[in-house]
């Protein structure tokens, strides 16, 4: 049974999916390394 079209949650996720198809693995690894660094999360205290 087909699951139908797949939808991503945000524009950023869509952009990452599109660039994953064209960027070399070395560049994708560098981007991931920057996003995964400790202390790089957005400060969202909900208030």
């Amino acid at each position: 049974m087909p699951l139908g079209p797949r939808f991503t949650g945000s524009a950023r996720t869509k952009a990452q999916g599109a660039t994953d198809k064209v960027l070399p693995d070395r560049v994708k690894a560098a981007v991931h390394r920057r996003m995964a660094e400790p202390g790089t999360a957005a400060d969202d205290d909900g208030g």
Side-chain angles (χ1 to χ4, degrees):
M1 179 177 219
L3 297 175
R6 301 180 84 187
F7 295 100
T8 56
S10 69
R12 182 176 183 159
T13 304
K14 290 179 187 179
Q16 286 175 338
T19 57
D20 278 351
K21 295 177 185 176
V22 296
L23 289 178
D25 288 340
R26 185 171 40 131
V27 175
K28 290 187 282 188
V31 171
H32 175 73
R33 194 175 309 115
R34 288 195 58 179
M35 291 190 319
E37 286 179 352
T40 59
D43 186 18
D44 185 15
D45 59 4

